[in-house]
Amino acid sequence: MLVDAISQNKEFLEHTLASTIKVDDFTARLFRIHTQVLEEGLAQSVFLGINRSDYMFDSGVDGTPALKQIEINTIAASFGGLTSRTVAVHGQVLKVLGKPQEASRLLPNNPSRGLALGIAKAWELYGSPSAVVMFLVEEVQRNIFDQRCVENELWNRNIPVIRRRFRDVFEKGSLDEARRLYMDGKEVAVVYYREGYVPSNYSEQNWEARLLLERSRAVKCPDIATQLAGTKKVQQELSRPGTLERLLPGHAEAVTRIRATFAGLYSLDMGAEGDKVAAMAIADPDRFVLKPQREGGGNNLYGEELRQVLEKIRDSPQRTSYILMDKIKPRPALNYLLRAHSPLQVSECVSELGIFGVYVRQGSELVLNEAAGHLLRTKAVEHADGGVAAGVAVLDTPFLV
């Protein structure tokens, strides 16, 4: 509900991202398309969000664990498919080890079904039974089997799926007079982005393809406003006193619960406040994480690297392309990480819990808003950043005690 409210609030996005789009070309290009689509008038009337909010348990000053948000992913949130299979794998391992009771205490989980449910509802509300769902995928698809899990759920519902790249959209995509989107002669009801979240995804032709998609009547997951709602700068702005209350009026209990998950978040905008924050981080870099406006993992800066970068840009507007966040300090646990070409040995590990959420809105009516499952990733404590795709973390399963 919060992400959807942000995506509909042009003034909030414009104000929040004003400093960022001056120095970050990628965010600026996204915002220009957002503005252009609004000026032309939205053809899209059904909106689909598939988000994943990631958390860690912070041990706190007194050792009391508290769930704190790392970030929210509003585009191409991955591993909903593969993690739907992980419970069965770990359950089988426990049974082979002669521990059937322990196997029964693994938390059931099937995000691929929940994600497909949202896509199916958006496809249904689009209102054209012959239209297809288009997965917008990378040139080189390293995570194809994760996507296939969701795709197969759609085929099981007799919803046809095609897979295309930005290049295909540029070469073969078209809009008719009603701005219906066609690919290879097939009307597209839903565009499900599994790329488009980092600058390297975009050539000039790909930017043109993105604009064509955003101008269309097709349901985009996400539309470009929702992608902007997931930026780190928006995350930081939400932590300011009064912001959540303005975005979610009449939902005081929800505001309190959301705010309780926020770690300390700090602006690096030019001015006295930003100067103070930069000096604070340079003086004690191990307390913080420096975050650019990027998705996909492996972008954050820690410790000495954080200090060096901030010292270099502390007097430059370039610093406004980052936010600063308190470093969450989870309590390690001993575990084994099974990875290809790596020795199997006990390691001190920390875990990150992601909660998938799916919503569908038609006009102003929210017709679906559900949690769709979870993702648990575990890695050794010596790795500050990097996830499963980087070969650092592994997929895990919560064990109920």
Side-chain angles (χ1 to χ4, degrees), residues 45-174:
S45 60
V46 177
F47 296 83
L48 167 63
I50 293 178
N51 306 322
R52 196 189 71 230
S53 189
D54 294 334
Y55 304 89
M56 278 184 164
F57 277 103
D58 186 23
S59 57
V61 177
D62 61 355
T64 303
L67 199 65
K68 295 297 180 182
Q69 186 185 59
I70 307 293
E71 64 180 356
I72 187 164
N73 304 273
T74 61
I75 179 170
S78 61
F79 294 116
L82 292 181
T83 199
S84 298
R85 306 296 193 264
T86 310
V87 178
V89 172
H90 287 149
Q92 180 69 10
V93 169
L94 288 170
K95 290 174 184 176
V96 170
L97 291 173
K99 297 179 180 292
Q101 289 300 318
E102 285 82 352
S104 69
R105 289 158 63 184
L106 298 179
L107 194 63
N109 191 36
N110 193 355
S112 58
R113 182 181 300 163
L115 305 190
L117 175 66
I119 296 172
K121 174 57 73 172
W123 175 86
E124 174 192 329
L125 293 175
Y126 180 84
S128 179
S130 61
V132 302
V133 171
M134 181 171 74
F135 281 42
L136 202 288
V137 298
E138 298 169 300
E139 290 283 342
V140 179
Q141 299 168 47
R142 295 181 59 210
N143 205 15
I144 186 170
F145 297 108
D146 180 56
Q147 300 165 19
R148 290 291 192 195
C149 294
V150 181
E151 181 181 336
N152 291 341
E153 290 280 352
L154 293 170
W155 282 111
N156 289 341
R157 291 171 168 83
N158 296 315
I159 298 174
V161 177
I162 62 174
R163 301 173 62 85
R164 297 293 186 271
R165 301 158 298 180
F166 272 129
R167 176 168 27 128
D168 301 317
V169 175
F170 177 79
E171 293 174 353
K172 300 177 182 178
S174 64

Side-chain angles (χ1 to χ4, degrees), residues 18 68 88 105 116 124 131 149 163 195 216 221 246 253 257 283 303 309 322 335 370 389 391 400:
K68 295 297 180 182
R105 289 158 63 184
E124 174 192 329
C149 294
R163 301 173 62 85
E195 82 151 349
S216 77
C221 181
R246 289 194 299 274
E253 183 181 350
R257 293 173 63 192
V309 169
Y322 295 86
N335 212 329
E370 296 182 358
L400 300 181

Side-chain angles (χ1 to χ4, degrees), residues 359-378:
Y359 68 84
V360 178
R361 174 170 51 85
Q362 185 174 35
S364 60
E365 181 187 0
L366 199 62
V367 297
L368 178 70
N369 184 23
E370 296 182 358
H374 58 266
L375 165 69
L376 190 68
R377 291 166 294 175
T378 298

Side-chain angles (χ1 to χ4, degrees), residues 191-207:
V191 179
Y192 176 36
Y193 286 100
R194 291 300 300 248
E195 82 151 349
Y197 51 89
V198 292
S200 60
N201 293 152
Y202 290 92
S203 62
E204 283 303 316
Q205 288 185 347
N206 289 1
W207 279 116

